[in-house]
């Protein structure tokens, strides 16, 4: 199923938090209640979330004063205590303190091809009680950058990607020195990296210096100018370790340490031995991709298929609730997540890899009124699906959103935060072509515009491959915002633009 998405409209942290809190008060309260039960169950006694929340507030402030402002605003908007929100943002750290060592969370797979953008997927395993309490959150910043994260209601971040072509995947780890105090919450740390890091080195420095009290592997994936890299940063109270891709460009992580000296302090090998077998199974399945890599690009769907194994039952890479296990040791794959680092986007599906790419639109149960969010998709009807698919996927280099089967005569293409669906139509002729002059065109849908970093480079890349509509155009708004853009046609005569925007910041 397609999960719920929310795109913030407020750009400043406190206002963004209040907006999110007001819109999702019911889900935030449900998250707090679920984690109270989880903490109590792990501790075998009631846990004082206010006490641990106070400690977490200081740690969140140390990581990012801006994120403390945001979570404070979120608490105000949702009408809940700040300490309650701070405690669920430190849920990994509190579980380590209370004895919640049974958690098995996630299988991660990254592929760095010899050419082309990296592939990065994750199966997120967690408690079934939380299955309806997560979302994809799109967070625009005042400088025009964008953070997108798969996270839980009330938690600032987790798995994610930013518009600087940096992504994070997440695996919980267990070290014998975990839980001795409450250190930097790893979920807040992940969000801070996505918000602040402009490149891989900045992200590495941010993580390496974090004083964590509960262990996690944060796998960083980055792409720049056609070159890609990935590294699993194994944070633990004893320091930090690193795991790198193998010679085939594969980086695989489950829930045990791959680096030394932390591996000699690993408690997961006793409490969750399935982690070792999951890693081996993913590695053996992933090796089958090597032959394909020589002939065709490995897709996100290919990588997800590697994670579609039920061999280990309740401890499999595609994990379903095992009714024979106790609640505290029974888990399920709540989401299957794919990062498009090059485009700065996330594809998330509710459920395990065996359900991917099932796409059923869902909305919040609490929505009693129309609550339109981002544009999800748009359609183009054509006489020749193959020709348009070759253009958008081949010429423009856009990835498929869903597997493409030519015989079915439709395609789904990722266009940043919007999905383009191309469908077959044999009815009549195509609508007349548009021009670049608005006054010359009849009313109706006009064009699609793609943002580019540099118009000159984009023009040079497309020259000779597309039919230009007009010469380059420049337009300036009185507030100082200005654009450079150039229109062109797709093979059917639909008008597109490449656009280089220069936005004047609005001081609030």
């Amino acid at each position: 199923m397609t999960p719920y998405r929310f795109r913030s409209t407020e750009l400043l942290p406190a206002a963004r938090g209040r907006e999110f809190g007001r819109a999702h008060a019911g889900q935030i309260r449900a998250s707090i209640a679920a984690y109270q039960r989880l903490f109590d169950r792990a501790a075998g006694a009631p846990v004082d979330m206010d006490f641990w929340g106070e400690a977490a507030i200081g740690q969140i402030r140390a990581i990012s004063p801006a994120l403390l402002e945001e979570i404070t605003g979120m608490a105000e908007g949702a009408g809940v205590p700040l300490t309650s929100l701070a405690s669920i943002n430190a849920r990994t750290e509190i579980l380590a303190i209370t004895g919640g060592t049974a958690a098995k969370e996630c299988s991660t797979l990254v592929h760095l091809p010899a050419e082309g953008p990296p592939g990065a997927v994750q199966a997120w395993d967690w408690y079934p009680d939380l299955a309806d309490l997560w979302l994809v959150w799109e967070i625009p910043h005042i400088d025009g950058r964008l953070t997108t994260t798969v996270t839980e209601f009330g938690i600032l971040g987790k798995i994610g990607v930013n518009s600087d072509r940096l992504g994070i995947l997440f695996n919980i780890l267990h070290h014998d020195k975990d839980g001795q105090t409450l250190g930097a919450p790893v979920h807040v740390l992940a969000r801070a990296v996505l918000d602040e890091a402009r490149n891989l080195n900045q992200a590495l420095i941010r993580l390496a210096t974090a004083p964590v009290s509960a262990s996690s592997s944060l796998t960083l994936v980055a792409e720049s100018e056609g070159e890609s890299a990935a590294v699993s940063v194994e944070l633990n109270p004893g320091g930090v370790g690193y795991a790198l891709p193998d010679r085939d460009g594969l980086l695989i992580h489950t829930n045990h340490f791959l680096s030394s000296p932390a591996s000699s302090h690993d408690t997961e090998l006793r409490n969750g031995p399935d982690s070792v077998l999951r890693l081996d199974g993913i590695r053996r399945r992933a090796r089958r991709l090597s032959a394909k890599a020589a002939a065709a690009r490995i897709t996100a769907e290919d990588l997800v298929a590697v994670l579609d194994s039920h061999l280990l039952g309740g401890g499999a890479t595609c994990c379903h609730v095992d009714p024979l296990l106790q609640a505290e040791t029974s888990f399920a794959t709540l989401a299957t997540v794919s990062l498009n680092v090059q485009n700065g986007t996330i594809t998330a599906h509710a459920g395990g890899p065996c359900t991917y790419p099932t796409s059923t639109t869902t909305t919040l149960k609490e929505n009693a009124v129309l609550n339109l969010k981002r544009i999800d998709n748009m359609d183009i009807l054509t006489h020749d699906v193959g020709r348009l698919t070759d253009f958008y996927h081949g010429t423009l280099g856009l990835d498929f959103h869903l597997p493409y089967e030519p015989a079915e005569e439709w395609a789904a293409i990722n266009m940043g935060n919007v999905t383009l669906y191309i469908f077959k139509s044999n009815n009549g002729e195509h609508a007349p072509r548009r021009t670049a002059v608005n006054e010359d065109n009849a009313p109706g849908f006009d064009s699609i515009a793609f943002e580019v970093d540099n118009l000159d480079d984009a023009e040079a890349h497309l020259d000779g491959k597309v039919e230009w509509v007009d010469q380059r155009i420049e337009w300036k708004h009185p507030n100082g915002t200005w654009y450079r853009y150039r229109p062109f046609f797709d093979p059917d005569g639909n008008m597109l633009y490449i656009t280089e925007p220069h936005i004047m910041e609005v001081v609030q």
Side-chain angles (χ1 to χ4, degrees):
M1 295 188 297
T2 302
Y4 168 68
R5 282 180 178 256
F6 180 80
R7 186 180 180 94
S8 295
T9 62
E10 298 287 352
L11 300 180
L12 297 180
R16 178 166 53 236
R18 283 191 292 273
E19 177 188 46
F20 188 94
R22 285 193 297 266
H24 308 106
Q27 292 85 356
I28 290 171
R29 292 191 188 100
S31 289
I32 293 169
Y35 275 107
Q36 179 73 72
R37 294 191 299 271
L38 187 56
F39 295 155
D40 293 350
R41 191 167 66 199
V47 171
D48 187 348
M49 289 178 70
D50 289 332
F51 174 82
W52 292 114
E54 287 288 354
I57 288 170
Q59 293 292 341
I60 294 169
R61 180 185 292 111
I63 292 172
S64 170
L67 289 180
L68 180 59
E69 288 182 28
E70 184 172 305
I71 199 173
T72 301
M74 191 183 296
E76 293 172 359
V80 300
L82 174 58
T83 51
S84 296
L85 269 190
S87 65
I88 68 171
N89 275 269
R91 53 97 149 161
T92 301
E93 291 69 31
I94 296 175
L95 283 171
I97 291 168
T98 57
T101 59
K104 306 166 185 63
E105 189 186 10
C106 310
S107 300
T108 289
L109 172 60
V110 176
H111 175 246
L112 305 181
E115 297 181 0
V121 299
Q122 176 172 340
W124 173 40
D125 305 337
W126 199 228
Y127 294 92
D129 291 354
L130 281 298
D132 295 325
L133 294 176
W134 64 275
L135 77 157
V136 180
W137 185 9
E138 298 173 353
I139 306 164
H141 299 287
I142 199 165
D143 61 1
R145 300 171 69 246
L146 180 70
T147 295
T148 305
T149 180
V150 170
T151 189
E152 299 164 73
F153 286 102
I155 296 180
L156 293 172
K158 187 179 173 68
I159 305 163
V161 67
N162 68 24
S163 53
D164 287 300
R165 301 183 178 185
L166 176 71
I168 292 179
L169 301 171
F170 224 100
N171 298 71
I172 200 168
L173 303 174
H174 296 100
H175 190 282
D176 61 18
K177 290 185 171 58
D178 285 345
Q180 297 181 359
T181 184
L182 196 150
V186 290
H187 287 80
V188 179
L189 185 61
R191 168 67 188 280
V193 168
L194 291 171
D195 282 359
E196 300 168 12
R198 301 299 185 99
N199 56 55
L200 182 57
N201 189 53
Q202 291 178 5
L204 284 169
I205 292 171
R206 194 72 154 91
L207 295 180
T209 56
V212 302
S213 63
S215 300
S216 290
S217 169
L218 275 65
T219 296
L220 300 173
V221 189
E223 192 271 345
S224 178
E225 299 178 354
E227 190 174 8
S228 59
V231 57
S232 291
V233 184
E234 296 186 335
L235 302 176
N236 63 86
V240 62
Y242 302 94
L244 295 168
D246 63 18
R247 63 183 182 182
D248 295 320
L250 295 168
L251 177 57
I252 303 161
H253 216 300
T254 50
N255 301 107
H256 61 281
F257 285 97
L258 303 179
S259 64
S260 296
S263 58
S264 62
H265 297 270
D266 201 327
T267 63
E268 183 72 10
L269 302 180
R270 293 193 301 271
N271 298 320
D274 59 86
S275 178
V276 177
L277 289 175
R278 276 186 287 131
L279 185 107
D280 179 65
I282 295 169
R283 179 182 291 119
R284 286 186 289 107
R285 280 175 157 236
R287 282 173 180 163
R288 300 172 192 166
L289 296 177
S290 299
K292 178 177 181 179
R297 189 174 69 84
I298 293 173
T299 66
E301 290 76 16
D302 295 326
L303 297 178
V304 168
V306 170
L307 302 182
D308 184 8
S309 172
H310 302 96
L311 178 63
L312 286 167
T317 54
C318 186
C319 179
H320 300 264
V321 174
D322 188 338
L324 299 181
L325 296 178
Q326 295 179 340
E328 60 269 22
T329 58
S330 183
F331 300 91
T333 303
L334 303 190
T336 305
V337 183
S338 171
L339 304 184
N340 187 322
V341 176
Q342 187 179 48
N343 292 343
T345 59
I346 286 178
T347 299
H349 288 266
C354 68
T355 69
Y356 191 98
T358 302
S359 181
T360 302
T361 301
T362 58
T363 57
L364 287 177
K365 297 176 182 177
E366 288 77 4
N367 280 0
V369 296
L370 184 64
N371 188 18
L372 300 179
K373 304 296 182 184
R374 69 181 188 91
I375 299 173
D376 178 78
N377 66 78
M378 60 180 296
D379 300 342
I380 289 181
L381 304 182
T382 179
H383 291 165
D384 192 337
V385 172
R387 182 175 65 171
L388 280 197
T389 301
D390 287 344
F391 179 79
Y392 285 94
H393 177 62
T395 302
L396 300 188
L398 301 173
D399 290 333
F400 288 114
H401 178 69
L402 295 172
Y404 174 50
E405 297 292 342
E408 296 181 5
E409 295 198 299
W410 67 272
I413 305 286
N414 277 325
M415 298 198 308
N417 291 327
V418 178
T419 303
L420 171 67
Y421 284 90
I422 302 171
F423 293 110
K424 177 79 169 184
S425 173
N426 292 317
N427 186 25
E429 299 298 321
H430 194 280
R433 287 187 169 196
R434 314 296 282 185
T435 77
V437 181
N438 288 340
E439 293 80 2
D440 293 346
N441 296 320
F445 182 78
D446 190 74
S447 58
I448 303 170
F450 293 97
E451 179 180 341
V452 297
D453 292 329
N454 186 288
L455 186 66
D456 298 330
D457 292 343
E459 281 185 306
H461 180 81
L462 291 176
D463 207 22
K465 301 176 184 177
V466 302
E467 179 183 352
W468 298 109
V469 176
D470 203 343
Q471 298 300 311
R472 180 184 302 179
I473 303 166
E474 293 192 4
W475 176 85
K476 186 173 184 179
H477 189 273
N479 81 336
T481 293
W482 61 282
Y483 292 82
R484 298 197 306 158
Y485 51 94
R486 191 172 184 189
F488 60 101
F489 290 124
D490 73 10
D492 274 12
N494 302 304
M495 192 165 69
L496 313 171
Y497 284 86
I498 44 174
T499 302
E500 179 186 320
H502 298 267
I503 309 299
M504 178 64 68
E505 292 184 4
V506 178
V507 179
Q508 301 186 13

